[in-house]
Structures are given as C-alpha cells and as structure tokens.
Amino acid sequence: MDKNEIKALAEEFLKDSPGYYLVDVLVAAGNAITVEIDNDNGVNIDDCATLSRNLESKLDRDAEDFELTVTSAGLTSPLKTPRQYKKYEGKEVETLTKKGEKLKGTLTSSNENGFTIEISKMVKTEGAKRKTEVKEEQTFNYDEVKYTKYQLKF
C-alpha cells in the first residue's frame, strides 16, 4: 500500500471536517495501515469510524488486501506535528533531546520550525544559604528532539 496515497485520501476527507487534521500514517508489514488524526477539541469514535469507512471505500481490497485502523492521537503519544505543539501550549510536557537530556517544563510557544519550553531549576546563588527556583526558557528545533510528550497530572 502506498503511504502517500492514503495520506492524500485522509487529508482530502479531513479538509471538510472542521478542526480535524492528520497526524500520521503508518503502513506496516502485511499492509497493516494506521491513520492517526487529531482535533483541537478532541476526537470522538464516530469521527474515526466515518474516516475509516471513507478510506475503505476508496481503497481496492481486490487489488491488495489490507488492515485499516483509524485512531486518535493518544494523550501519552509523542507530539508529531506543529499543530499538536500549538494545541499543548501552556501545558506541562516532557522532552527528550537527541543529546539524551530529558527536560520537563511548560510548553510556552511553538511555530513551524520549533518550540520553547520553560523549565524550573533549583540553583544556589553565590552567598545564599538555600537554593532558589529559577525559570529558564529553552528553544528547540523539532529535529533536535527525539520526542515531546504531554504530561498527565493527577
């Protein structure tokens, strides 16, 4: 199965669905296709089912057999698109850089090229008896990180 063809079909359908956007398309061995979508206000199962039926109607099982799964981007899944980063601005995230540094902080801003997180550190300043909390912003390009995930708080 052609990943780009499936991506194009999904994007064509989603352009008429307000707020929805394509996050990723995966085609694994045995033509196991996973289409991941998101919405700024959440995704419901009916929308996944509607997209699944639409894609099934446009793909030819007689030409090539496949397994199709349409799912929403999970809360614990890594952020994959700039739009997802925008959705989680102001929220707590965990980022693992390609250098192996794991950082937790607040996603303060994002754009098409990268994002900024605000990190709190305990620092002992010269002459002080105790460490004080210092907030520091760090900016990353998307290609500098292995993943960024939303941090669930209970």
Side-chain angles (χ1 to χ4, degrees):
M1 299 298 295
D2 181 30
K3 178 180 177 174
N4 291 328
E5 175 189 355
I6 296 162
K7 185 176 178 180
L9 290 170
E11 286 175 337
E12 177 68 24
F13 178 81
L14 291 173
K15 76 177 185 178
D16 295 328
S17 302
Y20 282 90
Y21 54 96
L22 183 65
V23 173
D24 202 5
V25 173
L26 302 168
V27 180
N31 285 335
I33 304 164
T34 302
V35 177
E36 190 175 8
I37 62 173
D38 205 349
N39 184 311
D40 297 332
N41 299 314
V43 176
N44 70 48
I45 191 134
D46 294 332
D47 296 320
C48 290
T50 302
L51 176 57
S52 179
R53 283 191 295 275
N54 180 273
L55 291 173
E56 289 238 6
S57 73
K58 298 195 187 244
L59 298 172
D60 186 4
R61 279 195 187 275
D62 293 333
E64 203 166 358
D65 195 27
F66 60 89
E67 173 187 333
L68 177 63
T69 303
V70 176
T71 184
S72 64
L75 277 178
T76 58
S77 299
L79 306 180
K80 296 179 181 176
T81 68
R83 188 159 172 188
Q84 284 183 300
Y85 278 84
K86 193 61 79 182
K87 175 181 175 179
Y88 287 100
E89 284 180 5
K91 308 272 196 259
E92 293 291 317
V93 295
E94 175 184 277
T95 296
L96 177 63
T97 68
K98 289 190 176 173
K99 294 177 182 176
E101 185 179 17
K102 191 179 276 190
L103 305 166
K104 290 184 181 183
T106 303
L107 179 62
T108 56
S109 65
S110 63
N111 59 38
E112 291 299 313
N113 302 313
F115 62 97
T116 301
I117 59 174
E118 182 180 75
I119 301 159
S120 295
K121 294 181 177 181
M122 296 303 286
V123 177
K124 186 172 182 180
T125 55
E126 193 174 320
K129 291 184 178 183
R130 295 184 182 174
K131 290 183 178 182
T132 57
E133 183 179 28
V134 175
K135 294 190 184 239
E136 171 185 297
E137 285 197 342
Q138 290 192 7
T139 301
F140 299 95
N141 289 328
Y142 295 121
D143 62 0
E144 294 177 309
V145 298
K146 288 186 178 182
Y147 68 76
T148 300
K149 294 180 180 180
Y150 171 67
Q151 290 290 274
L152 291 172
K153 298 256 180 172
F154 295 101

